[in-house]
Amino acid sequence: MKKMIMELADCAEDELARSFAPPSPGTQLSVEQAYLLAYQSALQGAGTVRLNPMVGVVLVDRRHRFLALGWHAYYGGPHAEVRVMEEITAQGLAGELAGATLYCTLEPCCYEGKTPACTDLLATLPISRVVIAQTDPNPRVSGQGVRLLQQAGIIVEVAPVFRRRVGDLLDAFSCNHRHQRPYIAAKIASSLDGYIGSRGAKRHWLTNERARAYTHWLRQRFDAIMVGADTLIHDNPLLAPTLFPSRGLKIPWKIVLDPRGRALDFKPLKELALVSSKTAVLWLLGPERGALLGPELQAAAKDLGVELVTCPLNPAGRFVINELLALLQARGIGSVLLEGGRFVWGSFAAAGVLDKLYLLQIPQLMGLREGMAWNEALHLSRPVVLHKVEMTLLDDNWLLAASLEQEREIL
Ligand code: AOF
Ligand code: ZN
């Protein structure tokens, strides 16, 4: 187990999710091992818990030996705390709970939603301690879960090291509650000197296998993947996550930003890779092009799972971001991964609603003459300091992940 921790320390999140191997009951765990296992458990819900947070828990006995773990597996389903207790019952381990510690990636909930309050369940158990990575940004919980557990005689710790270990696991959920809007992340793959491709010509470099696997994982983690008209026309991307085989996986929405309808007029919809029966496509058009849509095209698009929608444009001819966010929210989209291109990243950054940057880089210099820089359309009203910066080496590629918004802890 110690060796496993050392090896996992250098892993990207998708690799951590896939190397999940619960230990047998009775295995001695370090605190760091308990954090990591809770985190890995939470990741098992990626792509299925949509709009609810990914949550993982690990239960250890009074001598810090592993008992059981659980995670929130799907929207509306039992919470991680309920799952871990089902496991305890199934394994006949209820007798080991006296003095036990529960590690939770999120503060236990304290109200009856689609499922009963976890604090009620925990208060009936003889456990001594609950260690959480962070409090719940949901105002119906928000520190109240901690207080109720304390009133039940349980010691509660909010552990900053645990918080760091779980990375951005709960950031989308937090953003939805704090700002009442979808969480927005940009995924950019560039050369070392910051170029995403050469002008006019086809792309002639590629990220390595680990970086590509990570991209697929990211797509699965988000409710929707967004591209602009240029990216669609140049790359005809599929935008599908294909790697992590979790039960009941929901394929993310695909969203196309096409203010003037150039992508719509470029090819028949059914010839586009991203149009497939398995996915819902939301295709946004500016009002002028939207007004030209005939009922025939609307109906044909609908048959292919494509919803053609009109959204207002600003004087620069780009979508008004607040209107766009409202459209997404109305469809239950809580998180969006922006896959390109420059104007898509630029519009969200300029509107101050870009929450996260995932920058994958390859060891290649493209040079000024050839290169098209990812930041060419990045007009910021002021310099932005990034937080929670993480670097992961993926063989000869590397990933820089960082938040644009500083976190505020509720308690
Ligand atoms: C937990 N453990 O595993 C999760 C929690 O509608 P419900 O009943 O599913 O409740 C959803 C809310 O519960 C969600 O908004 C968040 O505040 C919390 N999620 N809490 O104790 C879990 N998924
Ligand atoms: Zn709960």
Side-chain angles (χ1 to χ4, degrees):
M1 193 75 181
K2 254 218 172 77
K3 186 158 169 270
M4 189 181 101
I5 287 279
M6 299 281 289
E7 285 164 3
L8 290 178
D10 298 326
C11 283
E13 195 180 65
D14 59 317
E15 296 163 337
L16 278 182
R18 268 179 278 126
S19 57
F20 175 60
S24 6
T27 307
Q28 192 70 44
L29 293 187
S30 68
V31 171
E32 172 55 24
Q33 285 168 332
Y35 291 163
L36 182 67
L37 261 182
Y39 174 41
Q40 286 182 296
S41 308
L43 294 175
Q44 306 309 306
T48 55
V49 295
R50 295 272 149 85
L51 286 183
N52 265 6
M54 285 180 259
V55 178
V57 302
V58 168
L59 196 51
V60 295
D61 72 7
R62 64 186 191 288
R63 297 210 193 117
H64 224 272
R65 289 174 305 198
F66 176 74
L67 289 174
L69 51 75
W71 65 91
H72 184 47
Y74 59 95
Y75 184 75
H79 286 188
E81 296 87 334
V82 174
R83 298 275 311 274
V84 81
M85 285 314 298
E86 286 170 1
E87 191 59 23
I88 289 287
T89 310
Q91 303 261 348
L93 292 169
E96 308 297 319
L97 290 177
T101 296
L102 181 71
Y103 290 90
C104 300
T105 58
L106 180 68
E107 174 185 15
C109 71
C110 56
Y111 72 97
E112 173 127 16
K114 290 180 285 302
T115 65
C118 289
T119 47
D120 288 348
L121 168 69
L122 298 178
T124 62
L125 306 176
I127 63 172
S128 319
R129 243 173 20 121
V130 171
V131 181
I132 64 175
Q134 69 182 77
T135 49
D136 190 338
N138 180 348
R140 297 181 73 183
V141 185
S142 196
Q144 188 62 15
V146 169
R147 280 187 285 279
L148 286 169
L149 291 176
Q150 287 168 334
Q151 278 164 22
I154 296 171
I155 299 166
V156 184
E157 283 170 36
V158 187
V161 181
F162 195 8
R163 169 70 197 83
R164 278 201 291 282
R165 164 51 77 199
V166 305
D168 63 1
L169 185 69
L170 296 154
D171 286 4
F173 179 71
S174 297
C175 170
N176 299 163
H177 277 286
R178 293 204 174 115
H179 306 302
Q180 309 298 317
R181 64 160 174 84
Y183 176 72
I184 309 291
K187 189 227 91 191
I188 297 158
S190 87
S191 63
L192 172 58
D193 48 352
Y195 297 117
I196 50 172
S198 34
R199 289 175 199 284
K202 271 253 166 232
R203 187 178 298 185
H204 53 81
W205 53 268
L206 284 174
T207 46
N208 70 20
E209 210 174 301
R210 280 180 77 189
R212 283 200 299 278
Y214 182 78
T215 299
H216 280 264
W217 162 257
L218 266 190
R219 288 175 181 163
Q220 173 168 337
R221 228 170 162 285
F222 283 79
D223 292 352
I225 304 161
M226 184 181 280
V227 287
D230 280 340
T231 305
L232 189 113
I233 291 168
H234 287 136
D235 299 346
N236 192 9
L238 181 63
L239 300 179
T242 48
L243 286 178
F244 195 62
S246 89
R247 291 165 301 276
L249 182 67
K250 291 192 190 122
I251 311 279
W253 287 73
K254 295 169 186 176
I255 304 171
V256 182
L257 299 190
D258 191 16
R260 290 181 295 275
R262 282 190 305 117
L264 189 64
D265 299 332
F266 156 71
K267 246 184 194 191
L269 285 174
K270 62 178 184 314
E271 286 176 29
L272 296 175
L274 60 70
V275 173
S276 95
S277 56
K278 291 199 208 98
T279 335
V281 180
L282 186 62
W283 198 294
L284 298 176
L285 297 162
E288 249 176 65
R289 183 63 183 83
L292 300 177
L293 287 177
E296 257 171 51
L297 178 57
Q298 291 266 29
K302 201 167 164 217
D303 282 349
L304 292 164
V306 180
E307 189 187 351
L308 297 166
V309 185
T310 301
C311 180
L313 299 179
N314 64 23
R318 315 243 166 248
F319 289 111
V320 178
I321 295 295
N322 281 344
E323 301 272 358
L324 197 158
L325 292 176
L327 266 169
L328 304 185
Q329 219 168 355
R331 285 162 180 77
I333 296 172
S335 60
V336 183
L337 184 66
L338 312 178
E339 290 240 11
R342 294 162 299 160
F343 293 104
V344 176
W345 300 318
S347 305
F348 284 89
V353 293
L354 185 60
D355 301 298
K356 181 89 184 184
L357 195 65
Y358 296 103
L359 182 61
L360 283 160
Q361 290 199 299
I362 62 160
Q364 184 175 321
L365 299 170
M366 194 166 275
L368 274 171
R369 201 167 59 89
E370 273 276 299
M372 191 165 67
W374 69 266
N375 59 0
E376 261 177 23
L378 200 68
H379 301 290
L380 299 173
S381 56
R382 56 183 171 81
V384 175
V385 178
L386 304 185
H387 303 276
K388 294 189 274 176
V389 179
E390 284 177 83
M391 283 289 282
T392 313
L393 195 59
L394 302 165
D395 298 327
D396 66 346
N397 289 187
W398 56 96
L399 163 74
L400 181 145
S403 288
L404 278 76
E405 198 202 26
Q406 178 119 48
E407 186 170 77
R408 276 156 289 142
E409 177 69 29
I410 314 157
L411 250 190

